[in-house]
Amino acid sequence: MLRMGRTTILRLVAFSVLTSLLAGCATTLPSLEGRVATTALTDTAGTRLGRVLADDVAAHPGNTGVHPLVKPRDAFATRVLLAAAADRSLDVQYYIWHGDPVGYLVLGALWQAAERGVRVRLLLDDNNTRGLDPTLAAFDAHPNIEVRLYNPFAQRSGRAFGYLTDFQRLNRRMHNKSFTADNKVTVVGGRNIGGEYFGVGSDMVFADLDVAAVGAAVDEVSKQFDLYWNSPSAYPAASLVGTPGPEGAEPLKARFAAARADPESAAYLEAVRTTPLVRDILERKLSFEWATSRLVFDDPSKTLDTSGRTDHLLFPALVQAIGKPEETIDLVSPYFVPGDEGTAALVSLARSGVKLRILTNSLAASDVAAVHAGYAKRRLDLLRGGAQLFELKPTATQELPADSSGFGSSSSGLHAKTFGVDRARIFVGSFNFDLRSALLNTEMGLVIDSPSLAQQMADGFDRTVPLLAYEVVLGPDGKSLQWIERTPTGEKRHDTEPGTGFFKRLGVGVLSVLPIDWLL
């Protein structure tokens, strides 16, 4: 047995006493007794969206019409305009909703819909609602709005203590993202609600991807929403954040007005005025690409079930839906932590002759250095196995060609989660290629049988990605790495991770030897 010093023993005893005290005073979650189960409104054929889409949907039975949302302001405007076009219902589900001008602009759009009589259901993961309790209390108090918080913190302040006393539960989060109007149009993909996801007003602006979908996929998304909304992990907000004070909704309305008046909001409001997507839908001008699709998602029981079951997980269903690659895989994941098994599977595919290209964040562009550590230790194995690796530059905004459409919102950080197989099928959703998405968080996304979209993605790797990213290659000795940077004046080769300092690289190196891939 290892001998421990007296100081070590005292520290362990102190920690045990502290955690016992915290556990003893931990606040419990409220009862779900009295919570009313509700489901998506399906009698929406007579709504504006229902009427204008009826002929197109009838002409493509069982199929889904999709329209990619690459440009960030278009993605923002589409959500706001769908809220304005809704007549009966809005079902909205997100992992992150920031209390910045963008967050309040979208909340304001939902509020205005509720004022017209639209039923609004807002389901938010509770991990990122810090500071929003007064806003959520006032928002939830509207008679046509209901807010539920997923897997919530019982203690509203000092949330770190919640992790000390209930880590196993709180470490599992709802990462799903969807925005559905009148059960007729839905937006799914990688974007949360906040300035950095829509291109303005943040030090970190993300490249991301959503799709607007109509037809068969919308019913699937609505059923998925209902499953989460009525799950044991979804708590009525009022039971946690209380009710608004005597001033009622006035502070919230003032926040809406301040968001509209914010100088940085001008670009978003102009986007609402000029983005043609929803107007084109209502005027029957927009041509969707129609294809077969399948929604894949984790069962919400994943959040509370620690038994190791796999029958309720998205990843096996995703593998089945996307099919076995025969020729190519183009994979985009901002948080790429494949682990031992994932790395072995990817290497096996590459060695069998499948062309494997991967785009993730460079260390200089990553917003989570620890996640980069989980990826960095796999680079040699992937390259030796035949994969091509690209890491997005932090300067991608300035270097994006004006006529590029492959990853048109590329900027200082990658956030899109998508991959294409055999230039025939594509996945768009919330799933990162990491162990957290596979085993801990809940995820969702669409697998679309679309050679057109898959080919656009492949073209992006052919033409745009090499300009926006460093290509990582083996050094001359086969044991080291080099980063190729392509510039207008030629290629540069870097022997260390570009744009990073020694201590940042050292920290990543230390983290990479720790057995924490499952946590990243």
Side-chain angles (χ1 to χ4, degrees):
M1 180 180 291
L2 292 175
R3 296 178 63 185
M4 294 186 293
R6 182 177 300 172
T7 302
T8 302
I9 294 173
L10 289 173
R11 285 175 178 170
L12 288 174
V13 170
F15 181 76
S16 298
V17 171
L18 175 62
T19 53
S20 296
L21 288 172
L22 289 171
C25 65
T27 305
T28 59
L29 288 169
S31 170
L32 289 176
E33 185 178 354
R35 186 191 68 173
V36 177
T38 59
T39 57
L41 301 181
T42 57
D43 56 338
T44 56
T47 63
R48 285 175 291 173
L49 291 170
R51 292 194 302 271
V52 300
L53 291 169
D55 291 344
D56 244 0
V57 171
H60 301 89
N63 284 353
T64 297
V66 294
H67 182 88
L69 297 172
V70 178
K71 295 179 181 180
R73 293 187 189 177
D74 285 352
F76 165 79
T78 297
R79 289 164 169 84
V80 172
L81 290 168
L82 281 176
D87 290 330
R88 295 288 311 284
S89 66
L90 288 163
D91 291 334
V92 181
Q93 176 182 21
Y94 281 97
Y95 172 60
I96 293 174
W97 196 298
H98 284 320
D100 61 8
V102 169
Y104 277 100
L105 286 174
V106 182
L107 276 181
L110 298 180
W111 181 274
Q112 289 172 4
E115 291 280 84
R116 301 193 312 271
V118 175
R119 186 190 74 173
V120 177
R121 297 190 295 173
L122 177 61
L123 179 61
L124 297 179
D125 184 88
D126 197 37
N127 195 49
N128 296 284
T129 61
R130 184 191 304 273
L132 287 178
D133 281 7
T135 289
L136 296 176
F139 196 72
D140 180 64
H142 192 289
N144 291 326
I145 296 174
E146 185 177 359
V147 180
R148 292 186 181 177
L149 298 177
Y150 192 87
N151 200 23
F153 290 77
Q155 187 169 321
R156 306 310 294 169
S157 60
R159 295 188 180 197
F161 293 129
Y163 275 111
L164 283 174
T165 59
D166 200 4
F167 178 80
Q168 190 174 56
R169 176 180 68 86
L170 292 173
N171 189 42
R172 295 167 176 261
R173 308 311 317 175
M174 181 192 75
H175 199 233
N176 311 37
K177 303 162 179 68
S178 66
F179 192 111
T180 305
D182 284 340
N183 200 31
K184 293 301 178 186
V185 183
T186 191
V187 176
V188 299
R191 290 183 175 95
N192 294 297
I193 304 298
E196 64 267 41
Y197 303 99
F198 295 104
V200 175
S202 173
D203 293 334
M204 173 68 78
V205 178
F206 288 121
D208 222 323
L209 177 66
D210 302 314
V211 293
V214 300
V218 182
D219 285 337
E220 296 178 20
V221 172
S222 291
K223 290 174 183 176
Q224 176 271 159
F225 182 94
D226 287 345
L227 194 63
Y228 278 79
W229 181 257
N230 296 309
S231 75
S233 294
Y235 286 73
S239 67
L240 293 154
V241 303
T243 57
E247 66 276 13
E250 294 310 311
L252 181 58
K253 293 178 180 178
R255 284 292 193 103
F256 295 154
R260 291 191 297 270
D262 187 275
E264 291 181 344
S265 297
Y268 296 96
L269 298 175
E270 181 62 22
V272 172
R273 286 189 286 269
T274 59
T275 296
L277 177 64
V278 175
R279 184 186 68 234
D280 286 351
I281 292 174
L282 294 173
E283 295 179 0
R284 306 187 186 192
K285 295 179 180 178
L286 185 70
S287 296
F288 288 96
E289 178 176 352
W290 289 88
T292 57
S293 71
R294 177 180 172 185
L295 182 74
V296 290
F297 59 91
D298 287 305
D299 190 289
S301 62
K302 179 181 180 181
T303 301
L304 299 178
D305 181 12
T306 58
S307 67
R309 286 172 49 206
T310 60
D311 59 317
H312 56 5
L313 300 185
L314 170 148
F315 188 63
L318 175 57
V319 171
Q320 180 184 31
I322 204 72
K324 182 180 179 181
E326 301 291 341
E327 298 178 0
T328 62
I329 303 177
D330 293 322
L331 191 155
V332 178
S333 182
Y335 310 121
F336 180 62
V337 186
D340 291 333
E341 293 184 10
T343 301
L346 291 170
V347 166
S348 176
L349 284 170
R351 286 178 173 166
S352 72
V354 174
K355 184 177 182 179
L356 171 62
R357 299 185 289 189
I358 299 166
L359 173 65
T360 190
N361 277 311
S362 65
L363 178 55
S366 177
D367 61 324
V368 187
V371 171
H372 190 82
Y375 149 71
K377 62 186 176 185
R378 309 293 178 186
R379 288 184 294 209
L380 281 173
D381 289 339
L382 289 165
L383 290 171
R384 289 167 179 164
Q388 279 187 279
L389 293 181
F390 296 91
E391 298 179 358
L392 191 77
K393 301 178 187 178
T395 56
T397 299
Q398 294 79 29
E399 300 180 32
L400 183 68
D403 60 350
S404 173
S405 61
F407 295 94
S409 60
S410 286
S411 52
S412 55
L414 181 69
H415 196 257
K417 307 104 167 45
T418 182
F419 63 94
V421 169
D422 293 339
R423 300 178 188 251
R425 300 175 299 284
I426 189 171
F427 169 82
V428 179
S430 68
F431 182 84
N432 289 299
F433 205 96
D434 63 11
L435 298 182
R436 171 164 286 278
S437 282
L439 302 176
L440 297 176
N441 291 350
T442 66
E443 309 285 354
M444 66 179 291
L446 277 174
V447 176
I448 307 164
D449 293 325
S450 171
S452 172
L453 292 179
Q455 184 62 52
Q456 287 179 41
M457 186 174 182
D459 290 344
F461 268 96
D462 290 340
R463 302 170 188 169
T464 309
V465 168
L467 301 176
L468 300 179
Y470 308 110
E471 183 175 2
V472 188
V473 298
L474 291 171
D477 59 0
K479 300 178 181 179
S480 60
L481 299 175
Q482 291 185 333
W483 286 258
I484 299 175
E485 180 180 7
R486 295 175 174 89
T487 72
T489 58
E491 289 186 359
K492 298 179 182 178
R493 286 189 176 246
H494 304 266
D495 293 325
T496 58
E497 304 213 39
T500 65
F502 170 77
F503 288 105
K504 188 169 189 177
R505 296 194 298 272
L506 177 63
V508 168
V510 170
L511 288 170
S512 68
V513 302
L514 300 177
I516 57 173
D517 285 8
W518 65 275
L519 190 60
L520 302 178

